[in-house]
Amino acid sequence: MTNKKHHKTIVLSDIHLGSKWSKAKEATRYLKDNTCDTLILCGDIIDGWQLMRGRKAKWKKRHSNFIKLLLDIQRKTKIIYLRGNHDDFMDRILPFKFQNIEIVKDYIYKSGDKRFYVLHGDVFDLVTSRYSWLSKIGDVGYSLLMLINRYYNNRREKKGLPYYSLSQEVKKKVKASVSYISDYEKHIVDIARHKKCDGVICGHIHQPEKRYYGDILYLNSGDWVESLSALTEDYDGNWEVEYYVPEPQTNNSVFEDKKDIRFAI
């Protein structure tokens, strides 16, 4: 049985509840195994885009279980929910506070003498913020890639081969994708510096990361579609990227740091 681990702060993003690709069960398991004082949900927790498509998107029990867990842990844990582009239906009620849950567009998180600018990140994506119709076309393409990925890995599993992320390889091989991620990180760091913050915490691009751009710490929590990743902070202010890795023969999980394993979309 997995021993519970307590953190000062946990950051999760891009769970995409309502999408068939969401690893909601694993995200729920992670929060049961890991407690914290502050939980930051960094956008795209609910996938409103998928749900609006109708028949192909279904709200499953595992999606409800994640929401139920949030309502349960908020009694002892402060929850900050950042609106993302896939849950932009929340724009009509922002800012909103319910008991110990706060829903906002962006947030300044203070840890000791450090200030972190927290946001989902889509506001700095020109395609998402100005041409939402084009972004939704891209979302359809991603869903197709994930469908191909599922069948491909089913065949690999039957042959005893490990999981292989097609989308990760696409990102690595497409020059425009690599350039986009680099530009995204640098731009979002510039905004944090402008706001006189020591770091930035975001999601959106499904690419877990911890790195310094000069004096600014860039932190991306990744996603719960393929990466199954989270950011954690200890009481000394140290941040790490953690990955949830289900054990094949049990319901338990192990966590490996970024140097050991990395598979993201």
Side-chain angles (χ1 to χ4, degrees), residues 73-140:
I73 67 174
Q74 60 90 27
R75 299 170 187 170
K76 296 181 179 180
T77 302
K78 180 179 181 180
I79 299 177
I80 304 165
Y81 189 132
L82 282 295
R83 164 264 194 218
N85 52 303
H86 282 258
D87 40 24
D88 55 6
F89 57 86
M90 292 186 175
D91 281 342
R92 297 179 182 180
I93 64 170
L94 295 182
F96 180 78
K97 188 169 184 180
F98 173 73
Q99 294 184 355
N100 210 21
I101 301 175
E102 187 175 356
I103 305 175
V104 293
K105 276 192 176 183
D106 57 5
Y107 187 81
I108 299 295
Y109 173 69
K110 297 178 181 179
S111 178
D113 60 349
K114 303 292 185 182
R115 285 163 40 95
F116 291 86
Y117 184 46
V118 189
L119 73 169
H120 179 60
D122 60 295
V123 68
F124 303 118
D125 183 340
L126 181 63
V127 172
T128 300
S129 59
R130 295 190 183 179
Y131 305 103
S132 60
W133 61 271
L134 185 58
S135 181
K136 290 176 182 178
I137 291 175
D139 188 53
V140 172

Side-chain angles (χ1 to χ4, degrees), residues 3-16:
N3 293 323
K4 285 191 175 184
K5 186 177 180 181
H6 188 77
H7 309 269
K8 180 182 178 184
T9 311
I10 293 176
V11 183
L12 303 179
S13 69
D14 297 271
I15 300 176
H16 291 274

Side-chain angles (χ1 to χ4, degrees), residues 180-205:
Y180 165 78
I181 292 172
S182 177
D183 290 345
Y184 172 88
E185 293 178 353
K186 291 176 182 177
H187 187 62
I188 216 165
V189 162
D190 286 342
I191 299 298
R193 185 177 287 113
H194 177 73
K195 289 183 174 289
K196 302 186 184 304
C197 289
D198 302 283
V200 61
I201 299 171
C202 60
H204 186 51
I205 59 173

Side-chain angles (χ1 to χ4, degrees), residues 240-259:
E240 297 297 336
V241 177
E242 283 193 343
Y243 293 82
Y244 177 96
V245 184
E247 295 178 351
Q249 298 179 347
T250 71
N251 292 323
N252 296 335
S253 63
V254 295
F255 296 93
E256 303 181 16
D257 70 23
K258 184 177 174 181
K259 295 179 181 178

Side-chain angles (χ1 to χ4, degrees), residues 13-255:
S13 69
D14 297 271
I15 300 176
H16 291 274
L17 300 176
S19 164
K20 69 174 74 174
W21 316 118
S22 173
K23 299 297 190 298
K25 186 176 181 180
E26 289 81 353
T28 301
R29 182 73 264 167
Y30 177 81
L31 287 183
K32 286 183 177 180
D33 292 340
N34 291 265
T35 58
C36 58
D37 296 339
T38 302
L39 173 63
I40 299 175
L41 301 172
C42 211
D44 284 2
I45 304 304
I46 299 173
D47 198 326
W49 291 8
Q50 288 287 335
L51 291 171
M52 284 189 292
R53 287 179 184 167
R55 293 181 302 171
K56 294 183 179 180
K58 294 182 179 180
W59 187 268
K60 302 286 188 177
K61 183 178 179 180
R62 60 180 178 270
H63 302 149
S64 294
N65 287 341
F66 182 82
I67 299 298
K68 289 176 182 178
L69 179 62
L70 294 182
L71 295 175
D72 184 40
I73 67 174
Q74 60 90 27
R75 299 170 187 170
K76 296 181 179 180
T77 302
K78 180 179 181 180
I79 299 177
I80 304 165
Y81 189 132
L82 282 295
R83 164 264 194 218
N85 52 303
H86 282 258
D87 40 24
D88 55 6
F89 57 86
M90 292 186 175
D91 281 342
R92 297 179 182 180
I93 64 170
L94 295 182
F96 180 78
K97 188 169 184 180
F98 173 73
Q99 294 184 355
N100 210 21
I101 301 175
E102 187 175 356
I103 305 175
V104 293
K105 276 192 176 183
D106 57 5
Y107 187 81
I108 299 295
Y109 173 69
K110 297 178 181 179
S111 178
D113 60 349
K114 303 292 185 182
R115 285 163 40 95
F116 291 86
Y117 184 46
V118 189
L119 73 169
H120 179 60
D122 60 295
V123 68
F124 303 118
D125 183 340
L126 181 63
V127 172
T128 300
S129 59
R130 295 190 183 179
Y131 305 103
S132 60
W133 61 271
L134 185 58
S135 181
K136 290 176 182 178
I137 291 175
D139 188 53
V140 172
Y142 172 67
S143 294
L144 177 60
L145 182 60
M146 289 299 296
L147 183 61
I148 295 171
N149 193 72
R150 172 187 286 180
Y151 287 113
Y152 178 68
N153 276 286
N154 283 343
R155 294 184 63 183
R156 287 178 62 84
E157 185 177 0
K158 290 178 181 178
K159 294 179 180 180
L161 298 173
Y163 178 86
Y164 179 86
S165 175
L166 290 173
S167 55
Q168 173 71 356
E169 290 306 307
V170 168
K171 273 191 174 182
K172 288 180 180 178
K173 295 182 183 298
V174 178
K175 186 176 181 180
S177 174
V178 175
S179 177
Y180 165 78
I181 292 172
S182 177
D183 290 345
Y184 172 88
E185 293 178 353
K186 291 176 182 177
H187 187 62
I188 216 165
V189 162
D190 286 342
I191 299 298
R193 185 177 287 113
H194 177 73
K195 289 183 174 289
K196 302 186 184 304
C197 289
D198 302 283
V200 61
I201 299 171
C202 60
H204 186 51
I205 59 173
H206 295 205
Q207 192 77 8
E209 187 63 89
K210 171 192 171 184
R211 64 176 296 183
Y212 275 94
Y213 280 89
D215 57 339
I216 303 296
L217 178 59
Y218 170 86
L219 296 166
N220 194 304
S221 49
D223 70 287
W224 287 80
V225 177
E226 286 196 84
S227 305
L228 278 66
S229 55
L231 293 170
T232 61
E233 181 196 22
D234 65 20
Y235 285 94
D236 293 321
N238 300 310
W239 289 90
E240 297 297 336
V241 177
E242 283 193 343
Y243 293 82
Y244 177 96
V245 184
E247 295 178 351
Q249 298 179 347
T250 71
N251 292 323
N252 296 335
S253 63
V254 295
F255 296 93

